[in-house]
Amino acid sequence: MAARRTLPFDPIAEAARNWSEHGWEKATVGMAMVTSVMRAQQILLAKVHAALRPFDLTFAQYEALMLLTFTRSGQMPLGKIGQRLQVHPASVTNVIDRLEGKGLVRRVPHAADLRTTLAAITKRGRELADQATRELNSRVFEQVGLSEERCRELIDVIAVLREDVGDFELHPGTRD
Amino acid sequence: MAARRTLPFDPIAEAARNWSEHGWEKATVGMAMVTSVMRAQQILLAKVHAALRPFDLTFAQYEALMLLTFTRSGQMPLGKIGQRLQVHPASVTNVIDRLEGKGLVRRVPHAADLRTTLAAITKRGRELADQATRELNSRVFEQVGLSEERCRELIDVIAVLREDVGDFELHPGTRD
DNA sequence: GAAGATTGAGAGTTCAATCTTC
DNA sequence: GAAGATTGAACTCTCAATCTTC
């Protein structure tokens, strides 16, 4: 188990204070924002992983599984998985390896293009994904520790950040 | 280099749509929030690492270095570093190992308690931390892609999340 | 030559177990 | 027995290099 990590003060506020004292005022808010996001991710990932532990799934594995669940045919090229999950091709290879090792996914060759490999979800993969989703929904997503309004606030602000790096392109005609 | 990962639509909005269609409305917002935070962390960490690359420092290493910079004596017990950075003791050992390997930090025994080890920043460590901070401030923290107001919004909402898991204790009389 | 996938290296994280010291 | 630190295992991520196929 991890050590008790509660502090008698807010470490992020403390860092911000240090930044200001060193005359880095213009960077203080940005630093605190970045640090906050890092910490939020750490907290949420821990919650998700705790809920997923009984299923022996990591969040990365779960995400890949769900992506396949949502496809019509239950399969998708590895490269496309990487695009959708926004991760490096090497990460996709790694995650699909684990899932395949557990019999939750199967690699199948692409009919027309010998370069591409498809990941196809198995019956067991689909069943496990369903169970895991029920747990995740009830134990994490339905009680994330934030009101629905605050959740939307967070989503919207982050969307600005994401658009800034070209994370998604709006459909033609949708932009403004 | 990572593959081009721009999509013709927003993958998070797409996931939310799928969640709703499966009747998981009560979990949809939470799922989108969690996914957004994961993605934001990924984006920001990439920016930070790009700025830190010339100094051959990771963000974890930089954070530890800065923590030592802010102490009066330039040294701190490994356990305390873990508390302040909110990471597992094993992570601290790992990061201090790298920093020590580069001569930026030195392990020194604690005078009174033989169990504890102190990490002491070296002259070179201090110099590198200063240079890295200048780069990080000007290239990332001073232009994070969000207005100061939105930054504060993000920080404040995440503070709610952090308090929810007991991330810090407010001073007596501050609560409510 | 470009695209899709894989491999190996290097870093980070956590957990469980271990060792020494209080 | 509890604390502080370390070690090894397992996982994720990225990058750079490689291989095959288009």
Side-chain angles (χ1 to χ4, degrees), chain B residues 1-2 42 78-79 90 93 107 115-117:
Chain B
M1 196 49 190
Q42 188 184 25
L78 298 207
T93 295
R107 272 185 173 84
R115 291 173 305 177
T116 106
T117 302

Side-chain angles (χ1 to χ4, degrees), chain B residues 1 45-58 139:
Chain B
M1 196 49 190
L45 188 59
K47 284 189 181 182
V48 167
H49 277 167
L52 249 26
R53 189 156 310 145
F55 305 97
D56 192 31
L57 283 176
T58 65
R139 292 184 42 190

Side-chain angles (χ1 to χ4, degrees), chain A residues 100-145:
Chain A
E100 193 169 31
K102 288 186 271 200
L104 305 176
V105 144
R106 218 176 40 244
R107 271 187 174 82
V108 301
H110 186 100
D113 189 339
L114 290 191
R115 291 175 303 179
T116 107
T117 303
L118 299 145
I121 192 168
T122 63
K123 185 157 169 290
R124 282 193 49 220
R126 221 179 267 274
E127 290 166 359
L128 194 64
D130 283 351
Q131 292 174 31
T133 297
R134 262 181 257 125
E135 275 296 291
L136 217 43
N137 279 342
S138 66
R139 291 184 40 191
V140 182
F141 295 152
E142 289 175 15
Q143 37 180 330
V144 277

